[in-house]
Each structure stands twice: as C-alpha cells, then as structure tokens.
Amino acid sequence: MPLALLGYALAVMLTVLAATPVSAQTDGLELAVKATYLYKLAPFVSWPASAFASPTAPLVICVQGAGPFGQILDRAVSGQAVGSHPVTIKRLARVDADSGCHIAYLAGGPGQSPAQALQAMEGLPVLTVTDEARGPAKGMVHLLLARGKVRFSVDAQQAEAGGVVISSKLLALAVAVKR
Amino acid sequence: MRTRLGRAQGRACGGWTLGAVKRSAALGLALAAGLVGQAHAEELAADQAAERAVEQLRTYSLEDLTNLRVTTVSKRAEPLIQAPAAIYVITADDIRRSGATSLPEALRLAPNLEVARINAYSYAITARGMNSAESANKLLVLVNGRSVYEPIGSGVLWQQVDVVLSNIDRIEVVSGPGGTLWGANAVNGVINVITKSAKDTDGLRVDGGAGDRQRNLALTYGGVLGGSNYRLSLQTFERDGLDKAPGDPTDDSFRGWQGSARLGGGSPSLGYTLVANAYDNRVGNDGGNLWGGDVMGRVFKTLSGGSRIDAQAYVASDDRSARDTHERRDTFNVQAQMASTFGAHEVVWGGEYRLWREYFLSTNAFHFADPRATISLGSLFAQDEWALRPDLKATIGLKLEENSYSGLDWLPNLRLAWAPSPDSLLWAAASRAVRTPNRIERELQADGFLAPSPDFQSETLWAYEAGARVQLSTRASLSVSGFYNVYNDLRIDAFTNGGLPIVLRNGGEGESWGVEAWGTFDVTPWWRLKAGLNTLRKDFRVKAGETDLARLQIAGMDPKYQAQLRSQMELGPSADLDLALRRVGEVTSAGVVGPVTPAYTEADARIGWRVRPDLELSLAGFNLLNDHHLEIDDHTTAPLRTIPRSVYIGLRWGF
C-alpha cells in the first residue's frame, strides 16, 4: 500500500509540468471591497447633464480589459440605483469616447493598457478608476492598499478637465488629492 | 516513579520536550475556501469568499469601506471566516504589533492555545488541555505543510523549529481535531504556519532588534528569476538564559541561525513552490546542538472542470545531540490530493506516505535496544462537503491511517454549518482522532527498570464540538465554541505482575470540556480591541483494575481558564501603540496540595514609529507587571526557570 501511494503521488507530480508565469491573484475580500467602491463612489460624483439620456437612464460602470471581478461585480450592483439611475455593468476590451461609460474601471488588457485607456478618456465626463494592483497609471480615482485597507487617491485636475465634479466628502476620505 | 521515568525520558531525550505530529496536512488554501482542510481552486475559493462579502458590504457606508481591514497578508478578515471549526488566524500584522520574536511567542496571540514557557529555548504548547513537556503530545504543527513533530516522544521541539517571523503570512490555529484533511495526531489541535509566497516579499528587508534578554537579526531578499519569484532569508538569534535559583549551574541560553531559499511561480491554474531550509542551534555552553535542514516542493494544477490537484513532497534531516544522547532523523514525505465539485458536493480525497529513518543513541540507562528504527505511516482520506441548502452544509469525512507501530485506524468526521444570515454561522462537529504510539512508548527500556511496551496502542479521542461566529455590527465580531472530549486508552506507567520492570499501558481514560471565545471591537476607526478567553475542566481517571505509577501525568497541567485583552491603536499616520494583558489561572495537579503554578497576570506593550514609509522603529516591554513569573513547573524534564521582565528595541526596514 505505501508503495502504491508513493507511485500515485509521483505520477501526479510528474503530470504537473512547467509553469506559465502570469499575473498575481487578488484575494477575495480585497476584490469585494473594490467592487463595492465602484458603485459606492457614484453618489459623491456629479456628471454633466449631457451624460444621461434621461432621468432614468442607466448609470453604466464599464470594466475595461482583464477585469478581475467576475460575477461579483454584477452581484454587487444588482438592484442598486444612484438617484433614479439604475446601475449596470458593461465589459469592454477597449474604451473610448463612444463607450457610453459613466464610471470606467481600467484594468488594462492586451488591447489597451490602463495608461492608454486614460489617454482615450481624457477630457471626457467619465470617472476613471485605476487600481494600483493593475499598474501605476493614475485616473481620477486610484485604488490602493494602505495599512491593510483599500483606500483611494483622487486626481482633481483630471476630474475638472473631464467636467466631472467630485464632492468634498469624497475628497476628505481620499488618502491624497492632487489638485 | 513519576520523577524517575520523567527524568529518564528527559535524559533520554537530552532533557528536552518531545513532540509527535504525524501527518502533513492540506495547504493553507483550504481555509481560504472557508471550510477546514478544503483545498479548492484558489479562484473558486476567492470567488466564494468575495460573493459573500459583496452581500455584506452592501450595508457599508463609504466611510466604513475605508476602515475595513482587508489585511494584505491574510486571506480574509475575521468576520468572514466560514469554517465549521474553532479556528483563530494570527495575521502577520498581529505578530508585528505584538513584538514577538519567535514562533512560540507569536502563538500566545491565539486565544485557543495554552503557551507556557519552560526556559529560554523550550515551551509547552497545547490546545484544550493536557499540557506539559511530557504530555503535550496531541498537537499537529506544520510549517508550510511540513509536519515538525518528533516521532520519538510525540511532541514538538520548539527549539528545533526555526521560522523567519517576518516571512510569516499567517498562522492558522485550530483547536480540536480540525477535520479529515489534517494529519494524524491532530487530536487537540492543529497549528499551521504559512509563510508568504516569494512574490509578496521583494527587495531587501531587515527585521532585527536587541534587548536586555535577546538579540535578533533577519535579512531577506526577494526578486524575480525568469518567470518565477525567489526569496533568500538569513536569520540569527540569541536568547539569554532566564532567571534561575541561586546555585543552579544549568545554562539554558540559546542561540542559532537559519537560512532559507524559496522559489515559486506559476499562474492561478498551475503553480509550484520550492523551499529549502537549513538551521543550526545551540543550547547553553555545551548543552546541545540541533541542526538540520529540509527541502520541500509543492505543485498544484486546476483542471478544466474546476477540479484541483495538489501534490507535495519533502525531505528533511534533523540532528540533535546533547551530553548523553544523539538523535538523527531523516524524514521522507509525499502527499497528494484532489478537490472537485459534483453539483452540491465538494469532494476532496487523497493520500500521504511518510517514512522516518531514526537513529537514537543514548549512553545512559534509558535506551532503545536498537538505535535504528524505521517508522512509517500512510493515510488515505476522503471528504464530502454537501450543500444541503444554500445556507446549510454538511461535511462528512473519513481518514484511514496506518502506522508501523499500531496498524490501521479509522478516523471519521462529521460537521454541520448553518448560516442563518450573511453575518452569522453556527456549526457543530463530531470526530474521532488518535494519538499513535511513539518510539519511547514502544521501545524505551532501562534494564530491570523499564521494559519496552510492544502492546501499547493508540490513545483515542471522540470530540464533540459546537460554535457560533457572528458579525455583530460593522465594528464588532464574536466567535464562541465549546467542546466535550472523551479520551480513552491514555498512557499510564504500570508494574509488570506487581513489580519491576515498569511498562506502559493504555490504562487511562477521561473527559475534558470547556469554552473558547474571542471577539474584536473597533472602538474608533483607529482603536481596535481584541479579547479572548478559554476555560477547561478535566475529569481523568485510571481504568478499573489499573494503577498509574505516574499518577495521571498524561493528563497534563493546565489552568482552568486563560484570558487576554489586546488594544491596537493607531496614533496618527505613523505610530502604533499596542498593549496586551493576559491572565492565566493557577495550575493544580492531582496529588499535590496547593497550586503547582500560581495564577499570574502579565502585560506587554509596544510602540512603533514609522520614521519613513519603509523604516519602522519600535520599543517594546514584555512581562511588565512582575519582576519574574512562573509559567510551568515541570522540573522532571528541565530545571526550573522564571520568566523575567524585559525590554526590546526593534527595527524593520524595507517593509
């Protein structure tokens, strides 16, 4: 019996061969908090009137590139609304002026890096959200980990350029604000 | 008698405690999935935890979100643990803030453990009772899946377990048998030490300090090699002997070094880790030398259906020499398991095989007839986690274990977990566990005085447990568990036909019961309180017709209660203040009038100052309330020591 076990274990190990190096894992709770931020930020942001087709038009959260959230983002926003706008999710490989986003989480992917996505969104009334875990490029809101908690920094300059107004409450909660 | 045998065992083993931990366990991922011992695809596990989390997080305000600890180094924050077991997770940050500089000291953070310091190098650690250097033989301790128990006496030689503390990601402390997927000898508890993966520690890090009783330095360097990550570590430490009685010539000072290398890589669907360690520790001036090393490799692969295979193998060599004993032990271990989902069933099954090649030479009266022995153990296990309803899960498990001393054992396990709301969990469990015979019990002899005991069988336990875990609000959480343990076939020392020689028999039995509770409360966003409590009652006896010459020494020496309170404060953006208060009840022993060890209260304090984002200085004081205090009086195996007050200045750079 021991020999059989040994044989089994070795067989298993031999079938598991060379690794393909790739991206890090983000842990479950951290991911859940980031997904929650995406819709919880919305009440503290004002878009120009032209951003919504009607008072009940959906508020679109776009996930650009290799979004890490999977189904949990859809679960997080199901049934949620910001004012009278129901929240919906759109997944895109690339974002640009015609993507129809109000909030864009720029995960980056083979088609467009976060930095490229930011460039494409420049001057548009879209709240760009970047993530320290996905790259160094910083959007209007940049998610990061500070002392074991998920926090964010705000780039008020970019927001102003896009016509997006960020409330002072949000600025107060940010770990850093770039004006 | 007790003293003679104890001293014999002590001398035979170089005067140190002996531990038995028999089986390597599933990887720490198991708990990330939320159910003890369950090794799922890492993504599957993270998804499940994340799903439950987003539900709970709906009620959080933006401000709450900014205050929620996701703790970068721990897989989950306390409120979201799903395991149907009494499990406490010590995080890397908890360890840093406590000022602990060794693994046993870090274990004090777990409210479900008894940690008693014997002297500068030695500790008696157990869960749910039966503690002492002799009787703490029911704990499974693993470092990255490698079991660090000692097959001679079934205990853990903490002085031979070197881990770089700042590399620890978390320590999972399970009290109770834990579940099917943990190894043999996980009777009273499991301690699973998991170090950070190489990719989480890059660059140069220094963690060191000096105090009036100890000096430490650990250097680690992490980087990238091809598509993988590596980490090299080197650490050295020195502990002065503790306070002793005047005229006591023994020297318990302790120092050593350890080096390790780690290489890991892969993707979420296929990965590997390779770890190598070497260590060399010395006790006293001539008291003994412990050295050795190990190499461990682990691979996992997720298959297209979502199943996952994990396999691990290690080779270790440990050498221990003292005045009149020399032990050398080579360990070979392979294990593998597969986790799959079939509808509402999450099934894990697998096996393990371990071989020890032991060499133990003693030049005193207590010896083994043949210094060499080969001890083997193998096991097969299967566990099914069945989601009866979305909020109700049953876990049914069975492990078959075979070891070269006592043959085959059946270890069934049944657990139920019910989540009445997203914020709470109720669980109950019944399990059978065994503590298999060790080399001393079977083979130790002293001509005319002690004979080998080839008929000594495994000690058995039926454990009945239940608990609840509740997230009381966004700021407070509570976990409570209770247990009722029924032990049988416990070890006693008996005469043969009314006279010498002494043999060991399975003539003891008894019950123990108690409660463990812990909670956290965020008084303010910058001030967190953590409290913990455990209680224990024991009723042990010798079976009818038997007499124990050791007077139920196997029942151990335990306090009836232990309590601790910790305060973690953030003083502004760059300073932490941590205070810890602990109270341990008195320890009494059958047949001894008055307490063997009086109750004591002690406190530690640490203030840390982040001078720069990557440089932290700290000042800590340990055992501040008394000049010195006694934690355990087990002078049959080691000379008496009291633990003094001490201070320590620490430095962490690069973190």
Side-chain angles (χ1 to χ4, degrees), chain B residues 105-124:
Chain B
E105 289 295 332
L107 292 175
R108 291 188 194 273
L109 289 158
N112 51 352
L113 282 182
E114 282 175 50
V115 176
R117 188 170 194 181
I118 299 172
N119 56 35
Y121 58 86
S122 184
Y123 288 77

Side-chain angles (χ1 to χ4, degrees), chain B residues 603-624:
Chain B
D604 303 326
R606 176 184 181 273
I607 183 158
W609 174 37
R610 211 167 279 271
V611 177
R612 287 184 351 215
D614 61 352
L615 176 64
E616 187 200 29
L617 298 177
S618 61
L619 173 65
F622 304 114
N623 301 309
L624 297 170

Side-chain angles (χ1 to χ4, degrees), chain A residues 2 5-6 12-13 16 18 20-22 25 27-29 32 36-37 40 44 75 78 80 145 147-149 151 170, chain B residues 42-43 50 53 55 57-58 60 62 66 69-71 75 80 227 266 268 270 309 311 352-353 380 570 573 576:
Chain A
L5 275 175
L6 186 61
V12 164
M13 285 180 72
V16 177
T20 26
V22 161
Q25 272 289 356
D27 106 81
L29 182 55
T36 308
Y37 263 115
K40 295 250 179 216
F44 301 95
R75 183 178 279 231
S78 80
Q80 301 276 4
L145 282 165
R147 316 253 304 208
K149 302 167 192 169
R151 305 292 299 269
L170 202 59
Chain B
E42 207 165 79
E43 292 159 61
E55 289 298 337
L57 292 173
R58 280 172 180 257
Y60 279 47
L62 195 64
T66 63
R69 282 165 204 262
V70 298
T71 53
K75 286 269 178 244
L80 302 173
L270 175 61
I309 297 180
E352 179 183 16
Y353 180 67
L380 286 176
E570 274 158 47
D576 295 330

Side-chain angles (χ1 to χ4, degrees), chain A residues 1-74:
Chain A
M1 172 159 122
L3 217 55
L5 275 175
L6 186 61
Y8 160 69
L10 280 175
V12 164
M13 285 180 72
L14 286 171
T15 61
V16 177
L17 287 173
T20 26
V22 161
S23 51
Q25 272 289 356
T26 315
D27 106 81
L29 182 55
E30 189 186 314
L31 220 50
V33 172
K34 289 179 177 175
T36 308
Y37 263 115
L38 289 182
Y39 70 87
K40 295 250 179 216
L41 289 174
F44 301 95
V45 174
S46 312
W47 285 265
S50 56
F52 290 98
S54 77
T56 54
L59 186 144
V60 180
I61 300 180
C62 294
V63 178
Q64 177 269 334
F69 300 112
Q71 287 306 304
I72 64 163
L73 185 57
D74 304 74

Side-chain angles (χ1 to χ4, degrees), chain B residues 162-174:
Chain B
D162 281 14
V163 182
V164 176
L165 226 55
S166 54
N167 282 346
I168 294 180
D169 180 281
R170 65 189 182 280
I171 304 174
E172 291 161 348
V173 180
V174 184

Side-chain angles (χ1 to χ4, degrees), chain A residues 61-68 89-101 104-118 120-121 134:
Chain A
I61 300 180
C62 294
V63 178
Q64 177 269 334
I89 311 290
K90 216 190 247 189
R91 288 180 169 83
L92 302 161
R94 303 175 52 92
V95 288
D96 54 39
D98 300 322
S99 302
C101 311
Y105 177 85
L106 308 175
Q112 197 183 38
S113 72
Q116 288 169 335
L118 273 178
M121 299 271 94
R134 314 296 303 187

